[in-house]
């Protein structure tokens, strides 16, 4: 039995899939090491209020960013021909340009009413940066998906490290002289643009992934490509917007009910807990998306692939998230200073939710391949409703930020587990259908 397990482990470690995950994870690990090394310095320079303003701005951007290109960049991985993928990239960039201009017009004309209605006074000076951030975010998404399509994972890893190095150096360096929230917001805005530029430069140097080499004719025009992949605009975009809204609700509501410092505690907790998700979860998702797409095309057992990836993440995630659950306040006080102890209390609850969000990455990656966009949208509608209820109960009924975060996290656990179960069931059903069809005379 042990020999069989050892041989199976060797096959897994030696597989191309594992090597690709390791390459992406190495770059992400380097980026996260840099970020975490700088974070104790940055938190002592800027303080909870500045982080709260950054968290509020980022929360708003997270809701608007999917609208920039209507999620068409995600479809770049799917076409068999590179020419059609480039057509989708051009379509995405065109939509992003129009949507950013529209956002700029709306904010120019109606900024004051929007700020008053949603109580966004802490970020009012930075509202006009949002259209630029939307365009930069869409450009980064386009380049990221092209890199994933061409499996240029070494480029993705190198850029992650460079991006983290310059961004954190800028935060710390400028913060020594001017530790203002404006510094964090501006750097967050231009960060996506630089990330896209670095990816583009890496692709240009690559012999395998240059966009210019794919000069063949596009099978369909932009209109036809937009129509063929319309489920990304109709279903995936509102789904991502709703998900971003539900994820952003705690920051926005904490800032509104309890002030920017409370939002800063939450923002730091989410950032720290995002480290294992970025290190392993996103690395695996980047490789898993094209891999499960190939599996479906080739008639392989996608269900088995999905279950194995989910179990692997479940095992890996126990240690990092478990440590935060047990030692949250002590860890945050030691690492970031005594004023961040409350962030550790938030993190204890957020770690439970983040663990299930960590292990659902393969399921989320498989959704477009399994054509579950419509179901995913319904899931997000229910998710937003339940999460809003949890926050209102905690903030209004109990008048407690911690209770609201705890209830929000419990709802997140249930929702993520349900998503994993539904996606695995769909993958199993598809495999059974393909198998039954292949047995027909």
């Amino acid at each position: 039995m042990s020999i069989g397990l050892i041989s199976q482990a060797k096959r897994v470690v030696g597989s191309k899939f594992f090597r690709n995950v390791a390459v992406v994870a190495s770059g992400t690990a380097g980026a996260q090491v840099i970020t975490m090394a700088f974070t104790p310095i940055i938190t002592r320079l800027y303080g909870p209020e500045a982080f709260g303003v950054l968290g509020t701005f980022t929360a708003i951007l997270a809701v608007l960013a999917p609208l920039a290109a209507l999620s068409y960049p995600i479809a770049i991985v799917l076409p068999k021909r590179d020419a059609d993928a480039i057509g989708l990239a051009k379509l995405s960039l065109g939509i992003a340009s129009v949507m950013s201009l529209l956002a700029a017009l709306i904010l120019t004309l109606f900024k004051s009413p929007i700020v008053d209605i949603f109580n966004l006074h802490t970020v009012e000076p930075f509202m006009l940066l949002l259209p630029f951030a939307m365009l930069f975010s869409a450009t980064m998404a386009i380049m990221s998906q092209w890199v994933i399509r061409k499996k240029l994972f070494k480029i993705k890893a190198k850029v992650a490290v460079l991006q983290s190095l310059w961004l954190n150096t800028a935060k710390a360096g400028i913060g020594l002289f001017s530790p203002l929230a404006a510094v964090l917001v501006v750097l967050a805005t231009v960060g996506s643009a630089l990330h896209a530029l670095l990816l583009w430069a890496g692709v240009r140097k690559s012999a395998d992934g240059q966009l210019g080499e794919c000069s063949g004719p596009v099978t369909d025009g932009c209109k036809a490509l937009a129509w063929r992949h319309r489920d990304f605009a109709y279903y995936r975009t509102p789904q991502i917007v709703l998900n971003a809204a539900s994820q952003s609700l705690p920051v926005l509501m904490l800032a509104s009910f309890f002030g920017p410092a409370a939002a800063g505690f939450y923002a730091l907790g989410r950032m720290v807990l995002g480290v294992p998700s970025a290190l392993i979860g996103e690395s695996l998702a980047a490789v898993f998306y094209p891999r499960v797409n190939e599996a479906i095309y080739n008639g392989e057992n996608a269900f088995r692939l999905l279950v194995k990836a989910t179990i692997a993440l479940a095992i890996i995630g126990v240690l990092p998230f478990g440590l935060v659950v047990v030692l949250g306040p002590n860890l945050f006080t030691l690492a970031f200073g005594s004023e961040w102890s409350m962030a550790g209390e938030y993190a204890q609850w957020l770690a439970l939710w983040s663990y299930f969000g960590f292990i659902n990455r393969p399921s989320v990656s498989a959704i477009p391949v399994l054509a579950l966009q419509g179901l995913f949208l319904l899931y997000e509608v229910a998710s937003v409703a339940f999460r809003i209820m949890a926050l209102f109960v905690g903030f209004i009924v109990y008048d407690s930020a911690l209770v609201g975060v705890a209830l929000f996290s419990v709802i997140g656990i249930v929702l993520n587990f349900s998503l994993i179960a539904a996606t695995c069931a769909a993958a199993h059903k598809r495999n059974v259908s393909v198998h039954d069809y292949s047995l027909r005379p």
Side-chain angles (χ1 to χ4, degrees):
M1 177 66 71
S2 60
I3 296 177
L5 290 174
I6 293 173
S7 62
Q8 184 177 4
K10 288 181 177 179
R11 285 197 300 270
V12 171
V13 172
S15 67
K16 186 176 180 180
F17 178 82
F18 182 88
R19 291 197 302 271
N20 288 336
V21 173
V23 167
V24 179
S26 65
T28 308
Q32 293 301 322
V33 167
I34 293 170
T35 297
M36 295 311 297
F38 275 92
T39 298
I41 300 172
I42 293 171
T43 53
R44 286 172 170 84
L45 289 173
Y46 290 92
E49 289 80 8
F51 267 82
V53 173
L54 173 64
T56 305
F57 180 86
T58 305
I60 298 170
L61 177 60
V63 176
L64 296 178
L67 298 173
L70 300 181
S71 301
Y72 277 110
I74 304 174
I76 290 172
V77 174
L78 299 179
K80 290 185 178 181
R81 301 177 69 253
D82 283 345
D84 288 336
I86 291 176
L88 284 169
K90 293 178 179 178
L91 172 69
S92 301
L93 187 58
I95 294 173
S97 300
V98 173
M99 296 295 284
S100 298
L101 287 173
L102 180 62
L105 179 62
I106 293 173
L107 287 173
T108 300
L109 296 176
F110 305 106
K111 184 180 73 169
S112 295
I114 291 173
V115 168
D116 291 336
I117 291 172
F118 295 100
N119 195 18
L120 301 174
H121 298 283
T122 57
V123 294
E124 183 175 5
F126 315 112
M127 293 290 283
L128 292 179
L129 287 176
L130 287 169
F132 295 99
M134 289 173 62
L135 181 60
F136 297 156
S137 177
T139 306
M140 185 184 73
I142 292 168
M143 291 308 307
S144 296
Q145 292 300 321
W146 179 260
V147 167
I148 291 172
R149 174 184 176 82
K150 302 304 294 181
K151 300 180 181 178
L152 301 174
F153 299 116
K154 289 184 179 179
I155 293 175
K156 186 176 179 65
K158 290 178 182 178
V159 169
V161 173
L162 290 174
Q163 170 79 0
S164 179
L165 182 61
W166 88 261
L167 183 60
N168 286 285
T169 300
K171 287 180 181 179
I174 299 174
L176 290 173
F177 306 98
S178 182
L180 303 174
V183 174
L184 298 178
V185 173
V186 171
L187 289 176
T189 301
V190 300
S192 296
L194 182 61
H195 198 139
L197 184 61
L198 291 172
L199 288 173
W200 176 78
V203 168
R204 278 182 60 86
K205 292 181 180 179
S206 171
D208 301 322
Q210 291 186 21
L211 281 78
E213 292 185 354
C214 308
S215 56
V218 180
T219 302
D220 297 307
C222 284
K223 289 184 178 179
L225 286 170
W227 179 253
R228 186 195 307 171
H229 299 282
R230 61 190 180 278
D231 55 328
F232 285 88
Y234 292 169
Y235 300 124
R236 193 60 182 268
T237 297
Q239 176 272 314
I240 296 176
V241 169
L242 287 171
N243 180 266
S246 66
Q247 303 264 357
S248 301
L249 276 172
V251 174
L252 298 175
M253 293 181 67
L254 281 167
S256 179
F257 281 89
F258 301 100
F265 294 143
Y266 181 91
L268 180 65
R270 287 291 293 145
M271 185 187 77
V272 171
L273 291 167
V275 171
S277 296
L279 177 60
I280 303 297
E282 291 182 13
S283 302
L284 185 140
V287 180
F288 188 79
Y289 183 19
R291 176 67 185 92
V292 74
N293 189 45
E294 291 177 358
I296 295 295
Y297 273 134
N298 299 330
E300 299 177 40
N301 193 326
F303 169 73
R304 184 180 301 169
L305 185 66
L306 180 59
V307 170
K308 284 184 176 180
T310 303
I311 292 176
L313 288 180
I315 295 172
I316 293 170
V318 168
L319 180 60
F321 292 107
L323 281 175
V324 177
V325 171
V326 176
L327 302 172
N330 294 330
L331 290 176
F332 275 67
T333 299
L334 178 64
F336 309 119
S338 58
E339 63 180 337
W340 292 98
S341 176
M342 180 58 69
E345 294 187 37
Y346 289 3
Q348 287 180 301
W349 287 100
L350 293 173
L352 295 171
W353 164 42
S354 297
Y355 174 72
F356 283 88
F358 174 72
I359 67 176
N360 84 349
R361 301 311 295 266
S363 296
V364 173
S365 297
I367 282 170
V369 182
L370 295 171
L372 297 177
Q373 312 271 45
L375 178 63
F376 203 20
L377 175 58
L378 293 176
Y379 164 86
E380 288 298 349
V381 172
S383 172
V384 171
F386 284 121
R387 284 169 168 167
I388 288 175
M389 289 171 55
L391 291 174
F392 267 99
V393 169
F395 293 170
I396 296 177
V397 176
Y398 289 93
D399 192 26
S400 168
L402 184 59
V403 172
V405 171
L407 292 174
F408 182 87
S409 299
V410 171
I411 292 295
I413 293 170
V414 176
L415 289 169
N416 280 316
F417 182 81
S418 301
L419 179 63
I420 294 170
T423 309
C424 288
H428 183 265
K429 182 179 179 180
R430 186 183 184 100
N431 284 336
V432 170
S433 299
V434 171
H435 178 69
D436 289 344
Y437 180 81
S438 65
L439 294 179
R440 294 179 185 177

